[in-house]
Amino acid sequence: MMREKFKHLLGKTRNEITQEIGDGFNFPANEIWTYEVGKTWIGRRIILSIKFKEKKASEITFFKSFKKC
């Protein structure tokens, strides 16, 4: 369900993603950007990870952690 909400980001550039969901304190040159997109009922953060290849978003994954992104 969460994956479908962010699937439209695939193929977009860093600039387009920044305009849509913000910079999230990501360094522009990094290959992987992370965003906190929610929390579980026990307080674990749901983290969206966007991997870039050739200046476009190529992979979207999610993971859960008690740590900040």
Side-chain angles (χ1 to χ4, degrees):
M1 181 174 153
M2 187 73 79
R3 185 175 304 275
E4 296 300 319
K5 187 175 178 181
F6 294 99
K7 189 176 181 179
H8 69 281
L9 297 175
L10 288 173
K12 291 193 174 187
T13 64
R14 289 177 169 95
N15 190 32
E16 293 170 330
I17 291 174
T18 301
Q19 290 175 355
E20 192 165 329
I21 58 178
D23 63 0
F25 299 107
N26 291 302
F27 185 66
N30 282 353
E31 290 184 22
I32 299 174
W33 282 8
T34 58
Y35 294 92
E36 184 178 329
V37 294
K39 287 189 178 185
T40 64
W41 65 276
I42 59 171
R44 287 174 56 184
R45 290 170 167 81
I46 301 171
I47 309 295
L48 165 67
S49 175
I50 304 171
K51 185 175 183 179
F52 291 93
K53 187 173 184 180
E54 297 176 6
K55 299 185 180 183
K56 296 200 178 202
S58 63
E59 185 179 336
I60 293 175
T61 56
F62 293 90
F63 61 93
K64 297 173 186 169
S65 174
F66 284 111
K67 296 179 181 180
K68 289 186 176 184
C69 352

